[in-house]
Amino acid sequence: AHAQGEPAGGVTIYGLMDACLTRSDRGADRATAINSGCLYGSRLGFRGTEDLGGGLRASFVLETGLTIDTGELAQGGRAFGRKALVSLAGRWGAIEMGRDYAPAFYVVQPIDPMALGIGTASSTLWTGAASTSAARNNNVVNLLSPTWNGLSLRLQATVGDERADGSRKARGLNVLYRSGKTLAGISHTRVDNADDLAHDAGTTVGVRHDFGAFTLAGIAQSGAWRGTRTTSAASATSIFSRSYRSYLVGGSVPVAATTKVNASWKRYDDRTAGNFDASQLSVNVVHTLSRRTDLYAGYSRLKNLRASSYSVSDASTAYTGVTPGASTSLLAAGIKHTF
Amino acid sequence: AHAQGEPAGGVTIYGLMDACLTRSDRGADRATAINSGCLYGSRLGFRGTEDLGGGLRASFVLETGLTIDTGELAQGGRAFGRKALVSLAGRWGAIEMGRDYAPAFYVVQPIDPMALGIGTASSTLWTGAASTSAARNNNVVNLLSPTWNGLSLRLQATVGDERADGSRKARGLNVLYRSGKTLAGISHTRVDNADDLAHDAGTTVGVRHDFGAFTLAGIAQSGAWRGTRTTSAASATSIFSRSYRSYLVGGSVPVAATTKVNASWKRYDDRTAGNFDASQLSVNVVHTLSRRTDLYAGYSRLKNLRASSYSVSDASTAYTGVTPGASTSLLAAGIKHTF
Amino acid sequence: AHAQGEPAGGVTIYGLMDACLTRSDRGADRATAINSGCLYGSRLGFRGTEDLGGGLRASFVLETGLTIDTGELAQGGRAFGRKALVSLAGRWGAIEMGRDYAPAFYVVQPIDPMALGIGTASSTLWTGAASTSAARNNNVVNLLSPTWNGLSLRLQATVGDERADGSRKARGLNVLYRSGKTLAGISHTRVDNADDLAHDAGTTVGVRHDFGAFTLAGIAQSGAWRGTRTTSAASATSIFSRSYRSYLVGGSVPVAATTKVNASWKRYDDRTAGNFDASQLSVNVVHTLSRRTDLYAGYSRLKNLRASSYSVSDASTAYTGVTPGASTSLLAAGIKHTF
């Protein structure tokens, strides 16, 4: 066994191990479990950068998602399911190819006070395609602008796959603005599934401002998708044509030198005949033991209106199987250790 | 490619590559093969520790089991199937969460002169649940005491999974005593499977003492399991209610400055109607080339009594497919290289 | 996250990330796609060497193949599908055990001007068993000679697997000669599949010479396989008894200080009744940005004669689904970054 020393421009190994004890209530059944990644998904990554001279840099990242409670791969068993990118960057920006998040993720994740953890924004406020809930895309080309006065632009397109034309296509962009205390962003995405009739589109805007004593955040998303079925289904999770609006307000308050409380309230407004609405209240407390290690506890309660059956989630797990119309909740406490 | 330098409190990469040539005889058929992990299972691991101050430490381990002869994952295809843990340790002991061995492993493995390698103790002297032969548990919480005068205590419980209540539960503990020349331990484990009628329980005691010219070791295990079927099956490997006692005696003798001979004799005493008894004699020679590299050879012969069909194993493979009642043997030689 | 420093005899992490934009034409359909590994297969590897004294060294390598466009494992989902070996080396040569390329690979890959990339030599000029197109073998023992005046010998045998006797067996060897400007090699391989009637045999010779202003290369292969079916099938990719000869001529020309053009022409001469011949022209341009990073573009066109349906390939993907008798082509451009 050999440990690593000082950085030397080579390969960096990094990661995050998050284990938690969860109590989920889905209306019909309850479960207590050791789980992986309530606050952030557990991961092991490899990355590196090469200076090519003249302001040009080549770099790569390979990031494995894993479930610490079972030792298995996350992201449906992909070896490097979180991220796999090679990129070339210069003063003109950067081009990246591989597998990456869709552009809305880079707006929602840093603005959401829960950072897509316990009471995650992603269950009804999508960061990828609303119809599939996948946050990431394969076969990606990203074009990233340089940052001008805090403003940056990201364009993403997916380019087929090696099997055949006519496959799933995703295109999207975001614009982010960062100053000392403010982060604001807007994104738009469109996904055309293999069936030409089926497509998703979504527009997201968000802003977060640090007022010193506390931070406030808000996100709004408007989207629609056209499924291959033309009539509404009886369940919120069926794929059929629909349009929706989704809202989040929340914030963070430091309550001690090493402790912060974060909270969010979300409202999902389905605008089709089924009217599959939901609302969700989430709060967590994060206690910092060191720069690399946190203890945390959190609670989220989701109220399904009418026949909705949305589930509470944390950063890794959707606690599915909710009785339509039932309220559902998650209580979780754990440790997050980065390296 | 960039190699690693001096430790700097960061991530340590470690592992073990064990490849061997094996000749197994199962009564009905014989096979000669290159195999992986006859002495110890091949593995690649990542681990690290952070000093949090005040005697507190956070640490993690991710350990991949692999088969060097095929480049595949061991442990049924789990990415980090050997171990996945995050822990917080202090003067009061440690708490760990993730996937780990059951407590009996930490008694049997260091006492068994074969170290669960060729002629492994685990085939009839279980380290996990006897009914499933799995040595490890998912969804684990471990509580570890500090060491008082050589004594330490380990408690383990598995906590559900995120799917539903009523899932498999395992609880266990061990007490270990270590002095300069003696290692002694006791463990007790109980596993309740999803079907409430099905459960396993086992108690294990073991001791090893180094007399200078040689080391002697003994292990005894008493266990029972209740299967979902209430009548005895015709085969030793069927799951049905049964009770058993298992014994091991053995030892190690250094025969040269760099060479050691290890041997064990086991007796499995099935106490149910089928009376599926077996006995096994195992011996190996380990020649040390360096601190990190060994050459080894070993032989194990298992005699099945009546209709038993237990198989010989090494640290990675159970050579299954034995004719009931037949004797079976394994001859293996290989190299073990740690890093 | 902790980066690696200076080498210290420990574990080296290395790898290669190759992403490309491809346009494949299979006669019937065309596809544009982001793909992985057009020039070289994307990979992440771990290796290390221990000096045992007296000229003896122990070493290991574990190499994961991956597809950067999806974050998945290559080589059919094997975790260390590219290579998994432990070895012991001395003045007498080396012995290796695990999973490795067949011997013909070590002749064809360094001589082929396309280095088995775009317009790869491997689709009709096999480096493993012609009947299965697998380039690698499991359960391998390699015996490597030392190098005498530029000459070296490699012997390979696969030894069963742990399941049963009568399994697939591969045996092969190569002899390589390397001087300052010349590389020449010959290999012979025989594979006996589980069915005794089915076997492959192939002999390959190749030479490459650097004339300064340009490099020329030639490879010839003669092979035969006996399938389990005795009559010719209607398709080039069906497994039936056949014999063939395959030829490659090509070369490389530096066209600027940092740019090289490589080209090859191949002819596949099927000598059985179906007469499934094909010819293929390939060319690429590799532009070096740094010691570790290249940009590249390439084109390959394969002409299927009569009812042949061979497909163009790059270092990672066979663009299958070609209409029998149709011509097929691949246009690709990408980036290759090693670390």
Side-chain angles (χ1 to χ4, degrees), chain A residues 4-6 8 11-14 50 78-80 99 138-139 141 159 161-163 339, chain C residues 1-5 10 13 17 26 30 32-34 68-71 290 292-293:
Chain A
Q4 302 177 280
E6 293 301 298
V11 179
T12 298
I13 305 177
Y14 67 95
E50 181 193 15
R78 288 172 199 272
F80 303 98
R99 172 176 166 86
N138 286 343
N139 300 302
V141 181
V159 185
D161 64 24
E162 60 273 25
R163 304 287 167 232
F339 54 92
Chain C
H2 295 266
Q4 301 176 283
I13 305 177
M17 295 283 271
R26 284 162 255 203
R30 294 168 188 184
T32 305
I34 294 292
I68 191 177
D69 52 336
T70 64
S290 75
R292 289 170 44 197
T293 306

mmCIF file of all heavy atoms in Angstrom, chain A residues 4-6 8 11-14 50 78-80 99 138-139 141 159 161-163 339, chain C residues 1-5 10 13 17 26 30 32-34 68-71 290 292-293:
data_model
loop_
_atom_site.group_PDB
_atom_site.id
_atom_site.type_symbol
_atom_site.label_atom_id
_atom_site.label_comp_id
_atom_site.label_asym_id
_atom_site.label_seq_id
_atom_site.Cartn_x
_atom_site.Cartn_y
_atom_site.Cartn_z
ATOM 1 N N GLN A 4 -0.528 8.741 -1.284
ATOM 2 C CA GLN A 4 -0.213 9.804 -2.234
ATOM 3 C C GLN A 4 0.430 10.995 -1.555
ATOM 4 O O GLN A 4 0.128 11.320 -0.421
ATOM 5 C CB GLN A 4 -1.500 10.278 -2.881
ATOM 6 C CG GLN A 4 -2.244 9.191 -3.575
ATOM 7 C CD GLN A 4 -3.509 9.760 -4.093
ATOM 8 O OE1 GLN A 4 -4.469 9.931 -3.372
ATOM 9 N NE2 GLN A 4 -3.495 10.100 -5.350
ATOM 10 N N GLY A 5 1.280 11.684 -2.265
ATOM 11 C CA GLY A 5 1.971 12.837 -1.702
ATOM 12 C C GLY A 5 1.459 14.141 -2.267
ATOM 13 O O GLY A 5 0.265 14.315 -2.490
ATOM 14 N N GLU A 6 2.356 15.039 -2.518
ATOM 15 C CA GLU A 6 2.005 16.375 -2.982
ATOM 16 C C GLU A 6 1.531 16.335 -4.429
ATOM 17 O O GLU A 6 1.999 15.522 -5.218
ATOM 18 C CB GLU A 6 3.238 17.282 -2.888
ATOM 19 C CG GLU A 6 3.659 17.547 -1.469
ATOM 20 C CD GLU A 6 2.569 18.210 -0.669
ATOM 21 O OE1 GLU A 6 2.181 19.327 -1.039
ATOM 22 O OE2 GLU A 6 2.075 17.597 0.296
ATOM 23 N N ALA A 8 1.444 16.957 -8.243
ATOM 24 C CA ALA A 8 2.525 17.166 -9.202
ATOM 25 C C ALA A 8 1.978 17.197 -10.617
ATOM 26 O O ALA A 8 2.603 16.744 -11.534
ATOM 27 C CB ALA A 8 3.566 16.062 -9.058
ATOM 28 N N VAL A 11 -2.447 12.640 -11.603
ATOM 29 C CA VAL A 11 -3.808 12.193 -11.359
ATOM 30 C C VAL A 11 -4.194 12.488 -9.910
ATOM 31 O O VAL A 11 -3.446 12.172 -8.989
ATOM 32 C CB VAL A 11 -3.938 10.675 -11.620
ATOM 33 C CG1 VAL A 11 -5.345 10.196 -11.337
ATOM 34 C CG2 VAL A 11 -3.534 10.361 -13.045
ATOM 35 N N THR A 12 -5.342 13.101 -9.712
ATOM 36 C CA THR A 12 -5.877 13.341 -8.373
ATOM 37 C C THR A 12 -7.008 12.357 -8.114
ATOM 38 O O THR A 12 -7.898 12.204 -8.947
ATOM 39 C CB THR A 12 -6.431 14.779 -8.277
ATOM 40 O OG1 THR A 12 -5.352 15.687 -8.487
ATOM 41 C CG2 THR A 12 -7.036 15.034 -6.912
ATOM 42 N N ILE A 13 -6.940 11.689 -6.968
ATOM 43 C CA ILE A 13 -8.030 10.821 -6.531
ATOM 44 C C ILE A 13 -8.855 11.607 -5.529
ATOM 45 O O ILE A 13 -8.298 12.217 -4.615
ATOM 46 C CB ILE A 13 -7.502 9.552 -5.848
ATOM 47 C CG1 ILE A 13 -6.542 8.823 -6.772
ATOM 48 C CG2 ILE A 13 -8.650 8.638 -5.465
ATOM 49 C CD1 ILE A 13 -5.941 7.592 -6.114
ATOM 50 N N TYR A 14 -10.143 11.621 -5.715
ATOM 51 C CA TYR A 14 -10.991 12.362 -4.791
ATOM 52 C C TYR A 14 -12.277 11.559 -4.594
ATOM 53 O O TYR A 14 -12.534 10.590 -5.321
ATOM 54 C CB TYR A 14 -11.301 13.762 -5.341
ATOM 55 C CG TYR A 14 -12.160 13.736 -6.574
ATOM 56 C CD1 TYR A 14 -13.544 13.872 -6.498
ATOM 57 C CD2 TYR A 14 -11.592 13.523 -7.827
ATOM 58 C CE1 TYR A 14 -14.339 13.819 -7.622
ATOM 59 C CE2 TYR A 14 -12.373 13.477 -8.959
ATOM 60 C CZ TYR A 14 -13.750 13.615 -8.861
ATOM 61 O OH TYR A 14 -14.534 13.546 -9.983
ATOM 62 N N GLU A 50 -3.453 18.798 -17.815
ATOM 63 C CA GLU A 50 -2.148 18.992 -18.431
ATOM 64 C C GLU A 50 -2.093 20.393 -19.024
ATOM 65 O O GLU A 50 -2.986 20.788 -19.779
ATOM 66 C CB GLU A 50 -1.940 17.957 -19.550
ATOM 67 C CG GLU A 50 -0.591 18.083 -20.229
ATOM 68 C CD GLU A 50 -0.496 17.278 -21.523
ATOM 69 O OE1 GLU A 50 -1.546 16.854 -22.044
ATOM 70 O OE2 GLU A 50 0.629 17.090 -22.003
ATOM 71 N N ARG A 78 -23.523 1.811 -13.954
ATOM 72 C CA ARG A 78 -22.433 2.346 -14.787
ATOM 73 C C ARG A 78 -21.159 2.470 -13.953
ATOM 74 O O ARG A 78 -21.206 2.909 -12.811
ATOM 75 C CB ARG A 78 -22.794 3.737 -15.312
ATOM 76 C CG ARG A 78 -23.853 3.703 -16.378
ATOM 77 C CD ARG A 78 -24.318 5.106 -16.736
ATOM 78 N NE ARG A 78 -25.594 5.018 -17.396
ATOM 79 C CZ ARG A 78 -25.735 4.852 -18.719
ATOM 80 N NH1 ARG A 78 -24.668 4.836 -19.484
ATOM 81 N NH2 ARG A 78 -26.920 4.730 -19.247
ATOM 82 N N ALA A 79 -20.021 2.147 -14.554
ATOM 83 C CA ALA A 79 -18.751 2.183 -13.824
ATOM 84 C C ALA A 79 -18.356 3.616 -13.482
ATOM 85 O O ALA A 79 -17.827 3.897 -12.411
ATOM 86 C CB ALA A 79 -17.652 1.518 -14.649
ATOM 87 N N PHE A 80 -18.576 4.528 -14.421
ATOM 88 C CA PHE A 80 -18.263 5.936 -14.198
ATOM 89 C C PHE A 80 -19.533 6.728 -14.498
ATOM 90 O O PHE A 80 -19.584 7.549 -15.399
ATOM 91 C CB PHE A 80 -17.076 6.374 -15.067
ATOM 92 C CG PHE A 80 -15.854 5.532 -14.823
ATOM 93 C CD1 PHE A 80 -15.526 4.479 -15.665
ATOM 94 C CD2 PHE A 80 -15.046 5.758 -13.713
ATOM 95 C CE1 PHE A 80 -14.416 3.683 -15.421
ATOM 96 C CE2 PHE A 80 -13.932 4.965 -13.450
ATOM 97 C CZ PHE A 80 -13.618 3.927 -14.315
ATOM 98 N N ARG A 99 -19.893 12.038 -20.840
ATOM 99 C CA ARG A 99 -21.161 11.916 -20.115
ATOM 100 C C ARG A 99 -21.160 12.962 -19.014
ATOM 101 O O ARG A 99 -20.203 13.071 -18.252
ATOM 102 C CB ARG A 99 -21.264 10.518 -19.501
ATOM 103 C CG ARG A 99 -22.445 10.323 -18.552
ATOM 104 C CD ARG A 99 -22.521 8.878 -18.086
ATOM 105 N NE ARG A 99 -23.406 8.718 -16.942
ATOM 106 C CZ ARG A 99 -24.740 8.543 -17.018
ATOM 107 N NH1 ARG A 99 -25.314 8.500 -18.201
ATOM 108 N NH2 ARG A 99 -25.473 8.433 -15.928
ATOM 109 N N ASN A 138 -25.755 10.984 -21.911
ATOM 110 C CA ASN A 138 -24.632 10.360 -22.612
ATOM 111 C C ASN A 138 -24.342 11.109 -23.902
ATOM 112 O O ASN A 138 -25.133 11.938 -24.339
ATOM 113 C CB ASN A 138 -24.987 8.906 -22.987
ATOM 114 C CG ASN A 138 -24.974 7.978 -21.796
ATOM 115 O OD1 ASN A 138 -24.411 8.305 -20.755
ATOM 116 N ND2 ASN A 138 -25.596 6.820 -21.953
ATOM 117 N N ASN A 139 -23.207 10.798 -24.540
ATOM 118 C CA ASN A 139 -22.881 11.289 -25.889
ATOM 119 C C ASN A 139 -22.896 12.813 -25.960
ATOM 120 O O ASN A 139 -23.374 13.411 -26.918
ATOM 121 C CB ASN A 139 -23.875 10.732 -26.915
ATOM 122 C CG ASN A 139 -23.870 9.215 -26.961
ATOM 123 O OD1 ASN A 139 -22.841 8.608 -27.209
ATOM 124 N ND2 ASN A 139 -25.023 8.613 -26.695
ATOM 125 N N VAL A 141 -21.593 16.755 -25.986
ATOM 126 C CA VAL A 141 -20.592 17.795 -26.269
ATOM 127 C C VAL A 141 -21.017 19.035 -25.494
ATOM 128 O O VAL A 141 -22.144 19.517 -25.665
ATOM 129 C CB VAL A 141 -20.520 18.162 -27.768
ATOM 130 C CG1 VAL A 141 -19.440 19.220 -28.004
ATOM 131 C CG2 VAL A 141 -20.247 16.936 -28.603
ATOM 132 N N VAL A 159 -24.994 13.877 -29.208
ATOM 133 C CA VAL A 159 -24.869 13.509 -30.611
ATOM 134 C C VAL A 159 -25.023 12.004 -30.742
ATOM 135 O O VAL A 159 -24.090 11.238 -30.513
ATOM 136 C CB VAL A 159 -23.522 13.977 -31.185
ATOM 137 C CG1 VAL A 159 -23.480 13.681 -32.682
ATOM 138 C CG2 VAL A 159 -23.317 15.461 -30.928
ATOM 139 N N ASP A 161 -25.921 7.988 -31.070
ATOM 140 C CA ASP A 161 -24.958 7.042 -30.567
ATOM 141 C C ASP A 161 -24.535 6.204 -31.760
ATOM 142 O O ASP A 161 -24.955 6.462 -32.887
ATOM 143 C CB ASP A 161 -25.486 6.207 -29.395
ATOM 144 C CG ASP A 161 -26.638 5.323 -29.764
ATOM 145 O OD1 ASP A 161 -26.753 4.984 -30.972
ATOM 146 O OD2 ASP A 161 -27.432 4.986 -28.897
ATOM 147 N N GLU A 162 -23.667 5.232 -31.518
ATOM 148 C CA GLU A 162 -23.069 4.536 -32.648
ATOM 149 C C GLU A 162 -24.026 3.555 -33.308
ATOM 150 O O GLU A 162 -23.704 2.964 -34.315
ATOM 151 C CB GLU A 162 -21.766 3.852 -32.232
ATOM 152 C CG GLU A 162 -21.902 2.826 -31.145
ATOM 153 C CD GLU A 162 -21.800 3.442 -29.755
ATOM 154 O OE1 GLU A 162 -22.086 4.648 -29.596
ATOM 155 O OE2 GLU A 162 -21.469 2.714 -28.826
ATOM 156 N N ARG A 163 -25.231 3.377 -32.707
ATOM 157 C CA ARG A 163 -26.150 2.372 -33.253
ATOM 158 C C ARG A 163 -26.831 2.851 -34.529
ATOM 159 O O ARG A 163 -26.795 2.207 -35.547
ATOM 160 C CB ARG A 163 -27.221 2.008 -32.213
ATOM 161 C CG ARG A 163 -26.658 1.531 -30.904
ATOM 162 C CD ARG A 163 -26.063 0.116 -31.004
ATOM 163 N NE ARG A 163 -25.288 -0.126 -29.799
ATOM 164 C CZ ARG A 163 -24.039 -0.549 -29.767
ATOM 165 N NH1 ARG A 163 -23.387 -0.819 -30.868
ATOM 166 N NH2 ARG A 163 -23.399 -0.716 -28.638
ATOM 167 N N PHE A 339 -12.835 13.405 0.472
ATOM 168 C CA PHE A 339 -11.394 13.156 0.424
ATOM 169 C C PHE A 339 -10.859 13.526 -0.951
ATOM 170 O O PHE A 339 -11.628 13.874 -1.848
ATOM 171 C CB PHE A 339 -11.072 11.695 0.772
ATOM 172 C CG PHE A 339 -11.792 10.661 -0.055
ATOM 173 C CD1 PHE A 339 -11.230 10.152 -1.208
ATOM 174 C CD2 PHE A 339 -13.046 10.187 0.318
ATOM 175 C CE1 PHE A 339 -11.870 9.190 -1.976
ATOM 176 C CE2 PHE A 339 -13.699 9.234 -0.446
ATOM 177 C CZ PHE A 339 -13.116 8.743 -1.582
ATOM 178 N N ALA C 1 -9.610 15.608 -1.609
ATOM 179 C CA ALA C 1 -8.931 15.182 -2.826
ATOM 180 C C ALA C 1 -7.434 15.388 -2.660
ATOM 181 O O ALA C 1 -7.001 16.425 -2.173
ATOM 182 C CB ALA C 1 -9.434 15.992 -4.016
ATOM 183 N N HIS C 2 -6.690 14.389 -3.039
ATOM 184 C CA HIS C 2 -5.249 14.458 -2.870
ATOM 185 C C HIS C 2 -4.589 13.976 -4.137
ATOM 186 O O HIS C 2 -4.929 12.928 -4.649
ATOM 187 C CB HIS C 2 -4.822 13.609 -1.681
ATOM 188 C CG HIS C 2 -5.375 14.157 -0.407
ATOM 189 N ND1 HIS C 2 -4.698 15.008 0.382
ATOM 190 C CD2 HIS C 2 -6.592 14.011 0.144
ATOM 191 C CE1 HIS C 2 -5.464 15.351 1.409
ATOM 192 N NE2 HIS C 2 -6.618 14.753 1.281
ATOM 193 N N ALA C 3 -3.654 14.736 -4.629
ATOM 194 C CA ALA C 3 -3.021 14.404 -5.893
ATOM 195 C C ALA C 3 -1.733 13.641 -5.638
ATOM 196 O O ALA C 3 -1.227 13.582 -4.528
ATOM 197 C CB ALA C 3 -2.741 15.647 -6.702
ATOM 198 N N GLN C 4 -1.228 13.072 -6.696
ATOM 199 C CA GLN C 4 -0.060 12.217 -6.578
ATOM 200 C C GLN C 4 1.229 12.983 -6.798
ATOM 201 O O GLN C 4 1.278 13.915 -7.594
ATOM 202 C CB GLN C 4 -0.148 11.131 -7.634
ATOM 203 C CG GLN C 4 -1.380 10.299 -7.515
ATOM 204 C CD GLN C 4 -1.403 9.338 -8.650
ATOM 205 O OE1 GLN C 4 -1.714 9.688 -9.770
ATOM 206 N NE2 GLN C 4 -1.017 8.118 -8.357
ATOM 207 N N GLY C 5 2.265 12.568 -6.141
ATOM 208 C CA GLY C 5 3.548 13.247 -6.264
ATOM 209 C C GLY C 5 4.542 12.427 -7.057
ATOM 210 O O GLY C 5 4.209 11.776 -8.033
ATOM 211 N N GLY C 10 5.725 2.787 -5.737
ATOM 212 C CA GLY C 10 4.410 2.333 -5.314
ATOM 213 C C GLY C 10 3.486 2.088 -6.488
ATOM 214 O O GLY C 10 3.894 1.568 -7.523
ATOM 215 N N ILE C 13 -0.960 5.280 -11.223
ATOM 216 C CA ILE C 13 -2.252 5.385 -11.911
ATOM 217 C C ILE C 13 -1.976 5.958 -13.283
ATOM 218 O O ILE C 13 -1.270 6.959 -13.403
ATOM 219 C CB ILE C 13 -3.209 6.314 -11.162
ATOM 220 C CG1 ILE C 13 -3.378 5.863 -9.716
ATOM 221 C CG2 ILE C 13 -4.568 6.340 -11.850
ATOM 222 C CD1 ILE C 13 -4.262 6.795 -8.924
ATOM 223 N N MET C 17 -7.849 8.886 -22.263
ATOM 224 C CA MET C 17 -9.226 9.268 -22.536
ATOM 225 C C MET C 17 -9.270 9.706 -23.989
ATOM 226 O O MET C 17 -8.584 10.657 -24.382
ATOM 227 C CB MET C 17 -9.651 10.415 -21.623
ATOM 228 C CG MET C 17 -9.696 10.032 -20.165
ATOM 229 S SD MET C 17 -11.160 9.047 -19.738
ATOM 230 C CE MET C 17 -12.308 10.363 -19.347
ATOM 231 N N ARG C 26 -23.185 2.540 -43.291
ATOM 232 C CA ARG C 26 -23.191 1.080 -43.397
ATOM 233 C C ARG C 26 -23.943 0.598 -44.621
ATOM 234 O O ARG C 26 -24.382 -0.538 -44.668
ATOM 235 C CB ARG C 26 -23.854 0.508 -42.141
ATOM 236 C CG ARG C 26 -22.925 0.573 -40.969
ATOM 237 C CD ARG C 26 -23.694 0.422 -39.684
ATOM 238 N NE ARG C 26 -23.812 1.695 -39.016
ATOM 239 C CZ ARG C 26 -24.023 1.844 -37.718
ATOM 240 N NH1 ARG C 26 -24.132 0.790 -36.950
ATOM 241 N NH2 ARG C 26 -24.120 3.032 -37.177
ATOM 242 N N ARG C 30 -27.011 5.398 -41.829
ATOM 243 C CA ARG C 30 -25.884 6.243 -41.447
ATOM 244 C C ARG C 30 -26.119 6.758 -40.049
ATOM 245 O O ARG C 30 -27.254 6.944 -39.634
ATOM 246 C CB ARG C 30 -25.784 7.436 -42.393
ATOM 247 C CG ARG C 30 -25.445 7.019 -43.796
ATOM 248 C CD ARG C 30 -25.625 8.163 -44.769
ATOM 249 N NE ARG C 30 -25.475 7.644 -46.121
ATOM 250 C CZ ARG C 30 -25.506 8.386 -47.204
ATOM 251 N NH1 ARG C 30 -25.696 9.691 -47.121
ATOM 252 N NH2 ARG C 30 -25.348 7.839 -48.390
ATOM 253 N N THR C 32 -24.472 9.564 -36.977
ATOM 254 C CA THR C 32 -23.517 10.529 -36.450
ATOM 255 C C THR C 32 -23.535 10.386 -34.939
ATOM 256 O O THR C 32 -24.613 10.346 -34.339
ATOM 257 C CB THR C 32 -23.914 11.957 -36.843
ATOM 258 O OG1 THR C 32 -24.038 11.997 -38.257
ATOM 259 C CG2 THR C 32 -22.882 12.973 -36.374
ATOM 260 N N ALA C 33 -22.375 10.296 -34.313
ATOM 261 C CA ALA C 33 -22.362 10.011 -32.878
ATOM 262 C C ALA C 33 -21.096 10.498 -32.213
ATOM 263 O O ALA C 33 -20.032 10.527 -32.825
ATOM 264 C CB ALA C 33 -22.517 8.513 -32.637
ATOM 265 N N ILE C 34 -21.234 10.901 -30.938
ATOM 266 C CA ILE C 34 -20.073 11.004 -30.062
ATOM 267 C C ILE C 34 -19.746 9.590 -29.622
ATOM 268 O O ILE C 34 -20.641 8.842 -29.213
ATOM 269 C CB ILE C 34 -20.385 11.875 -28.827
ATOM 270 C CG1 ILE C 34 -20.647 13.323 -29.233
ATOM 271 C CG2 ILE C 34 -19.261 11.788 -27.800
ATOM 272 C CD1 ILE C 34 -19.431 14.046 -29.762
ATOM 273 N N ILE C 68 -16.134 6.461 -22.758
ATOM 274 C CA ILE C 68 -16.269 7.794 -22.179
ATOM 275 C C ILE C 68 -17.624 8.418 -22.501
ATOM 276 O O ILE C 68 -18.144 9.238 -21.734
ATOM 277 C CB ILE C 68 -15.103 8.686 -22.672
ATOM 278 C CG1 ILE C 68 -15.035 9.983 -21.902
ATOM 279 C CG2 ILE C 68 -15.198 8.946 -24.149
ATOM 280 C CD1 ILE C 68 -13.857 10.840 -22.309
ATOM 281 N N ASP C 69 -18.257 8.006 -23.604
ATOM 282 C CA ASP C 69 -19.538 8.613 -23.987
ATOM 283 C C ASP C 69 -20.710 8.133 -23.138
ATOM 284 O O ASP C 69 -21.777 8.744 -23.154
ATOM 285 C CB ASP C 69 -19.833 8.382 -25.476
ATOM 286 C CG ASP C 69 -19.728 6.920 -25.878
ATOM 287 O OD1 ASP C 69 -19.012 6.160 -25.195
ATOM 288 O OD2 ASP C 69 -20.362 6.535 -26.866
ATOM 289 N N THR C 70 -20.519 7.030 -22.400
ATOM 290 C CA THR C 70 -21.612 6.505 -21.580
ATOM 291 C C THR C 70 -21.196 6.242 -20.134
ATOM 292 O O THR C 70 -22.037 5.917 -19.304
ATOM 293 C CB THR C 70 -22.138 5.166 -22.150
ATOM 294 O OG1 THR C 70 -21.077 4.206 -22.065
ATOM 295 C CG2 THR C 70 -22.589 5.292 -23.589
ATOM 296 N N GLY C 71 -19.906 6.323 -19.829
ATOM 297 C CA GLY C 71 -19.428 6.014 -18.487
ATOM 298 C C GLY C 71 -19.489 4.539 -18.147
ATOM 299 O O GLY C 71 -19.440 4.164 -16.977
ATOM 300 N N SER C 290 0.914 17.979 -27.372
ATOM 301 C CA SER C 290 1.899 17.853 -26.298
ATOM 302 C C SER C 290 2.294 16.397 -26.236
ATOM 303 O O SER C 290 1.760 15.563 -26.979
ATOM 304 C CB SER C 290 1.290 18.262 -24.956
ATOM 305 O OG SER C 290 0.426 17.247 -24.483
ATOM 306 N N ARG C 292 1.377 14.376 -24.168
ATOM 307 C CA ARG C 292 0.273 13.564 -23.670
ATOM 308 C C ARG C 292 -1.031 13.738 -24.432
ATOM 309 O O ARG C 292 -1.967 12.973 -24.213
ATOM 310 C CB ARG C 292 0.031 13.885 -22.182
ATOM 311 C CG ARG C 292 1.122 13.370 -21.265
ATOM 312 C CD ARG C 292 0.989 13.908 -19.852
ATOM 313 N NE ARG C 292 -0.374 13.886 -19.367
ATOM 314 C CZ ARG C 292 -0.826 14.586 -18.322
ATOM 315 N NH1 ARG C 292 0.017 15.375 -17.649
ATOM 316 N NH2 ARG C 292 -2.076 14.517 -17.949
ATOM 317 N N THR C 293 -1.123 14.742 -25.318
ATOM 318 C CA THR C 293 -2.411 15.061 -25.932
ATOM 319 C C THR C 293 -2.300 15.216 -27.447
ATOM 320 O O THR C 293 -1.457 15.956 -27.937
ATOM 321 C CB THR C 293 -2.991 16.344 -25.295
ATOM 322 O OG1 THR C 293 -3.033 16.178 -23.875
ATOM 323 C CG2 THR C 293 -4.385 16.624 -25.803
#
